[in-house]
Amino acid sequence: QVQLVESGGGLVQAGGSLRLSCAASGSIFSINAMGWYRQAPGKQRDLVATITRGGSTNYADSVKGRFTISRDNVNNTVYLQMGSLKPEDTAVYYCNARLVVSLVNYDYWGRGTQVTVSS
């Protein structure tokens, strides 16, 4: 089991910045990758960025060059630095941890944090 707690959301003007944090606890040594997903009202949950245990990153095209994902392995925390924010970035942002056990993926989710970008 993995528990995830997000923080750092809020209201920001277009062009501004925010940093999201996600603290993991529990079976953290089994985590293969962590990431951020977002879900806008009436839309599906989409990938924003992921980072593997080895530090490899992957980003959605819509956030490349504006967002940076990083992780602090000492404090078991993953961050999402968001810059040049746009109104279309408004969504609930969810932290994800993926464990792979015997070739089976197990996904854990945080409760989400709201990010609102005003124009």
Side-chain angles (χ1 to χ4, degrees):
Q1 291 283 342
V2 174
Q3 294 78 44
L4 303 171
V5 178
E6 302 108 331
S7 61
L11 173 65
V12 65
Q13 289 188 331
S17 300
L18 278 176
R19 189 176 81 156
L20 306 183
S21 300
C22 174
S25 60
S27 301
I28 56 175
F29 295 106
S30 300
I31 296 175
N32 287 71
M34 296 186 70
W36 291 94
Y37 291 70
R38 66 187 181 188
Q39 187 168 18
K43 296 189 177 181
Q44 67 181 19
R45 188 174 298 186
D46 291 326
L47 179 145
V48 176
T50 60
I51 185 166
T52 67
R53 181 191 299 230
S56 297
T57 58
N58 181 49
Y59 295 92
D61 288 342
S62 60
V63 306
K64 284 181 180 176
R66 300 189 298 123
F67 292 10
T68 302
I69 189 170
S70 61
R71 63 191 294 172
D72 179 345
N73 291 328
V74 174
N75 294 308
N76 305 312
T77 301
V78 63
Y79 303 97
L80 185 68
Q81 180 67 46
M82 305 185 293
S84 301
L85 282 161
K86 304 175 182 179
E88 50 263 45
D89 294 317
T90 295
V92 177
Y93 283 69
Y94 295 92
C95 181
N96 168 268
R98 170 161 290 183
L99 283 64
V100 180
V101 181
S102 299
L103 301 180
V104 176
N105 292 334
Y106 296 88
D107 283 308
Y108 293 87
W109 297 93
R111 292 187 175 184
T113 185
Q114 177 70 46
V115 172
T116 303
V117 184
S118 63
S119 57

